[in-house]
Amino acid sequence: MSTGTPLTRLTERLKQPFHRDGRPTRLHPSAVWAEASSAVGLALAPAWRTVRKAWLTYAWPVLSVVSVLGWSVLAATILLWWAGSAYGWQEAKAAAVAAFVMFLIAVGFILGRSTYGVVLDLARTRVAVGDSAVGSIAVTNTSNRPLLPASVELPVGGVTAVFHLPRMKPQQVHEDLFTIPTARRAVIVVGPVRSVRADPLHLLRRQVLWTEPEDLFVHPRTVPLAGSAAGFIRDLEGMPTTELSSADVSFHALRDYVPGDDRRHIHWKTTARTNKLMVRQFEETRRAHLAIALSINTEEYASEDEFEMAISAAASIGRQAIREQRELDVLTQKGPLRCETGRNMLDDMTRIVGTPMRRTAVDLARTLADTVPNASVVFFVVGSNVTATQLRSSAASVPPGVRSLAVRVEAGAASSRANIADLTVLTVGDLADLGIVLRKAAA
């Protein structure tokens, strides 16, 4: 054994006790126990891996087919036989024999080999709330002999759908259609498809997996936003900045020609009048860059429906911004969302889980100002429990020159517009009214 093993180190430390204040002392029991445990674990590791592999390969596939009821019947069989032998109860022995025979009969129901070709087909893996999610299961008998009737199970989220297969001839195909309800935003795991063989009493249950699980994204419901409802700074009419540029669309002034300037920007009329080369100088315009701060602190919402409406409002604004090819950033208290495409954004919106937390919408606004310093339009999407004082504090975090709006969702409230200093507050009582209040704010 090499000198670096725990057992060698333990032996050396036992032979050479350490000294403290010039007096020899004994090795601390905790150190001895730690070294000994490490040495034993290292020595038994190969044997443990061998036993574990044998268990998973041979024992577990056999034992896993016995259901809870099956184990109960086996335990009752042993208990009844022992009681009959110990106390001379012939009835107990007869019951034990009957239970054991019943168990043996159940074995016959799960024996045999099934050869299926199973195809799980989801028509769409991404749907919106309320849309139909339709799929199909096609099972083919790929063997050269007929197969007895069986059952096929399809887990869908927390429930399991059961499909019954008839007696199938060789190469026969049996297809079943199914519909998945999409009443709530969620990521639903569909599959894997598994064939099941079981006895009538379900003492034994043997299942075989035939497909891989698939994710079904139920995206939040969104509404179309027409025209300038989603963007408040047009690309060609952007807000000017203090930075000057030699090429843009917003003319600023004329200046003397400097070697290296583009000759296309020479102003020839002024050059002829002053007898000096003069070039145009422009103000840099800011391309529309939207930033959305979506609060996922459930304490700021009056109900779960209100929280879902906030997610739908943020998704609607973000989707319209992507359609208009604007730069977009979406941020929550748990970090940024992917916004490369509309699909990525909606996928991340679907994965959002609201939780009570200490970080409020005000903290999120400060994080947004640091994370997206070049934003030109900022949306704060919050719940009805957010106060005017908190909204004012959120707006104070926005740099000057950036237009800020707060979309405050309140289920059942009348849609309205108000101003708190430079912050435009839009109250949305129904998702269908989002486009209307945004157009009023853009007017």
Side-chain angles (χ1 to χ4, degrees):
M1 187 175 290
S2 62
T3 57
T5 62
L7 185 59
T8 304
R9 293 197 302 268
L10 176 62
T11 304
E12 292 176 354
R13 293 186 66 178
L14 290 174
K15 290 181 179 179
Q16 301 176 2
F18 60 88
H19 291 70
R20 184 179 297 155
D21 298 333
R23 294 177 299 173
T25 60
R26 283 191 166 190
L27 194 63
H28 197 277
S30 62
V32 176
W33 176 255
E35 295 288 353
S37 301
S38 180
V40 171
L42 185 64
L44 296 180
W48 168 251
R49 285 195 295 267
T50 303
V51 172
R52 184 174 182 273
K53 183 178 180 180
W55 169 267
L56 294 177
T57 305
Y58 303 105
W60 176 247
V62 175
L63 299 178
S64 61
V65 301
V66 184
S67 65
V68 176
L69 181 59
W71 287 114
S72 302
V73 170
L74 284 178
T77 300
I78 297 173
L79 182 61
L80 289 172
W81 185 263
W82 173 82
S85 301
Y87 299 101
W89 294 346
Q90 298 302 321
E91 295 84 355
K93 285 187 176 182
V97 171
F100 186 70
V101 171
M102 183 172 56
F103 193 87
L104 291 179
I105 294 174
V107 174
F109 282 90
I110 66 170
L111 292 180
R113 184 176 182 180
S114 298
T115 307
Y116 293 118
V118 181
V119 177
L120 173 63
D121 181 24
L122 292 178
R124 292 187 297 169
T125 57
R126 288 166 174 82
V127 297
V129 172
D131 293 345
S132 297
V134 181
S136 65
I137 297 178
V139 182
T140 306
N141 179 7
T142 58
S143 66
N144 297 324
R145 56 184 178 80
L147 294 179
L148 296 176
S151 297
V152 172
E153 293 183 349
L154 176 65
V156 180
V159 300
T160 301
V162 180
F163 302 90
H164 298 285
L165 299 179
R167 185 178 183 275
M168 299 178 63
K169 299 178 181 179
Q171 306 307 316
Q172 181 180 349
V173 179
H174 178 79
E175 186 174 5
D176 280 306
L177 301 177
F178 60 88
T179 303
I180 301 175
T182 58
R184 305 292 296 179
R185 174 183 59 90
V187 180
I188 303 175
V189 180
V190 182
V193 179
R194 60 198 182 203
S195 60
V196 179
R197 283 190 173 187
D199 61 282
L201 297 179
H202 291 276
L203 301 180
L204 303 180
R205 174 187 171 88
R206 179 188 170 197
Q207 61 183 27
V208 180
L209 304 182
W210 297 100
T211 65
E212 296 294 329
E214 297 185 25
D215 289 336
L216 172 64
F217 288 85
V218 183
H219 288 162
R221 187 167 66 94
T222 57
V223 292
L225 304 177
S228 60
F232 297 90
I233 303 177
R234 297 181 180 178
D235 293 347
L236 299 182
E237 298 176 355
M239 294 180 63
T241 66
T242 57
E243 299 178 1
L244 300 180
S245 172
S246 60
D248 213 309
V249 295
S250 180
F251 177 75
H252 175 64
L254 296 174
R255 62 171 175 81
D256 293 339
Y257 174 84
V258 177
D261 286 341
D262 192 340
R263 293 184 180 182
R264 292 177 299 178
H265 297 143
I266 295 177
H267 196 269
W268 294 108
K269 291 184 178 180
T270 305
T271 299
R273 187 173 61 252
T274 60
N275 203 24
K276 292 193 306 181
L277 284 176
M278 304 293 291
V279 295
R280 299 181 183 88
Q281 194 172 36
F282 302 87
E283 288 180 335
E284 281 192 354
T285 54
R286 181 181 299 171
R287 180 178 174 86
H289 185 165
L290 271 67
I292 301 175
L294 171 62
S295 177
I296 59 174
N297 184 358
T298 53
E299 294 182 350
E300 297 179 345
Y301 297 89
S303 64
E304 184 178 354
D305 291 340
E306 192 173 282
F307 176 68
E308 293 297 327
M309 190 192 304
I311 294 178
S312 295
S316 300
I317 297 172
R319 189 177 183 182
Q320 182 67 25
I322 293 175
R323 283 179 176 176
E324 296 180 0
Q325 298 182 349
R326 301 178 186 273
E327 296 185 47
L328 174 68
D329 284 279
V330 181
L331 193 69
T332 68
Q333 281 93 335
K334 292 186 178 180
L337 274 60
R338 296 176 300 166
C339 299
E340 297 85 3
T341 63
R343 171 180 288 189
N344 289 343
M345 183 201 66
L346 291 175
D347 285 352
D348 284 359
M349 288 277 187
T350 305
R351 293 189 179 99
I352 289 178
V353 178
T355 55
M357 57 181 67
R358 292 185 177 181
R359 298 192 63 190
T360 63
V362 178
D363 300 320
L364 179 59
R366 294 167 182 166
T367 304
L368 181 70
D370 296 335
T371 306
V372 194
N374 57 340
S376 56
V377 180
V378 173
F379 283 92
F380 302 111
V381 184
V382 297
S384 59
N385 292 341
V386 176
T387 63
T389 302
Q390 290 177 311
L391 291 177
R392 187 180 295 107
S393 301
S394 300
S397 303
V398 178
V402 178
R403 185 166 187 183
S404 56
L405 302 100
V407 178
R408 181 175 173 271
V409 296
E410 184 177 358
S415 299
S416 61
R417 171 188 172 182
N419 291 321
I420 301 178
D422 294 333
L423 177 67
T424 302
V425 181
L426 308 175
T427 301
V428 178
D430 189 281
L431 185 63
D433 298 334
L434 179 62
I436 298 175
V437 295
L438 286 177
R439 283 194 292 272
K440 290 181 179 178

